[in-house]
């Protein structure tokens, strides 16, 4: 059996950038303070490539999940909304089931801690998937810059 090529989500370097040493032109994007998500061949994965456990997220983004399954591709991006605190976004994405009694209590505590008056369902409705990259299954090894130069030129 042929081993499938592996991939890793693209991450920004943690090194401090010395602007005078940057070689232009460069590719850049905004830093979104959300939860990393990877739709990969019909799965919804976290940054560490573990399944996103939340059933409501799987239902909301079923069309993207199905697209990656049908087209054998990867969509890399961020679950995010600028009006929702990061900790609440994490809770929306990573909680297994919103109806669980512990989850309900934890949400109420988070909202109080962050002075945020929103139900989890309202927050989920506002969270979008902001895509950074789309990769065909036979192009994982070609790199982001190659894809931009090929498809966006």
């Amino acid at each position: 059996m042929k081993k499938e090529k592996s991939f890793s989500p693209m991450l920004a370097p943690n090194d401090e950038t010395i602007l005078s040493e940057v070689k232009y032109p460069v590719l850049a994007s905004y830093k979104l303070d959300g939860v990393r998500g990877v739709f990969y061949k019909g799965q919804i994965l976290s940054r560490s490539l573990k399944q996103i456990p939340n059933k409501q997220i799987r239902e909301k983004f079923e069309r993207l999940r199905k697209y990656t399954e049908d087209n054998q591709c990867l969509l890399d991006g961020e679950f995010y909304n600028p009006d929702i605190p990061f900790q609440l976004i994490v809770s929306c994405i990573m909680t297994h089931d919103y109806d669980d009694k512990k989850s309900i209590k934890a949400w109420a505590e988070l909202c109080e801690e962050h002075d945020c008056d929103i139900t989890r369902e309202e927050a989920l409705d506002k969270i979008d998937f902001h895509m950074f990259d789309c990769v065909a299954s036979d192009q994982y090894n070609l790199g982001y810059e190659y894809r931009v130069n090929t498809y966006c030129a």
Side-chain angles (χ1 to χ4, degrees):
M1 182 162 62
K2 185 177 177 182
K3 186 177 179 184
E4 186 173 343
K5 292 181 183 179
S6 63
F7 68 93
S8 297
M10 182 175 37
L11 301 175
N14 287 328
D15 305 335
E16 188 172 317
T17 302
I18 302 169
L19 294 178
S20 62
E21 295 179 8
V22 173
K23 293 184 170 90
Y24 293 92
V26 296
L27 299 171
S29 64
Y30 287 103
K31 166 66 175 101
L32 302 178
D33 201 14
V35 174
R36 190 59 168 272
V38 177
F39 289 79
Y40 175 64
K41 294 185 177 181
Q43 301 178 74
I44 306 175
L45 307 172
S46 68
R47 170 182 150 161
S48 61
L49 304 180
K50 294 179 181 166
Q51 282 275 37
I52 299 280
N54 182 278
K55 72 178 187 176
Q56 288 86 357
I57 289 295
R58 291 193 307 267
E59 290 167 3
K60 178 175 180 170
F61 294 101
E62 172 59 18
R63 289 178 61 193
L64 287 178
R65 187 208 65 74
K66 181 83 169 106
Y67 178 85
T68 62
E69 182 178 56
D70 292 346
N71 294 283
Q72 293 296 290
C73 66
L74 174 146
L75 305 177
D76 187 7
E78 195 91 359
F79 293 105
Y80 175 71
N81 182 289
D83 300 325
I84 301 174
F86 171 73
Q87 292 82 357
L88 275 71
I89 294 172
V90 171
S91 180
C92 277
I93 304 300
M94 300 310 284
T95 297
H96 286 262
D97 185 358
Y98 294 171
D99 299 325
D100 178 71
K101 288 180 183 179
K102 288 182 182 178
S103 297
I104 294 169
K105 182 179 179 186
W107 181 261
E109 291 169 355
L110 268 176
C111 287
E112 186 175 325
E113 181 181 330
H114 294 281
D115 194 28
C116 190
D117 185 24
I118 188 171
T119 68
R120 197 185 313 249
E121 291 75 14
E122 291 168 333
L124 173 65
D125 188 52
K126 292 180 178 186
I127 293 172
D128 294 315
F129 182 71
H130 296 259
M131 187 175 70
F132 306 139
D133 200 2
C134 177
V135 186
S137 64
D138 60 346
Q139 296 181 336
Y140 296 138
N141 62 340
L142 295 180
Y144 183 74
E145 190 171 346
Y146 172 84
R147 291 189 299 282
V148 169
N149 290 334
T150 302
Y151 303 116
C152 299

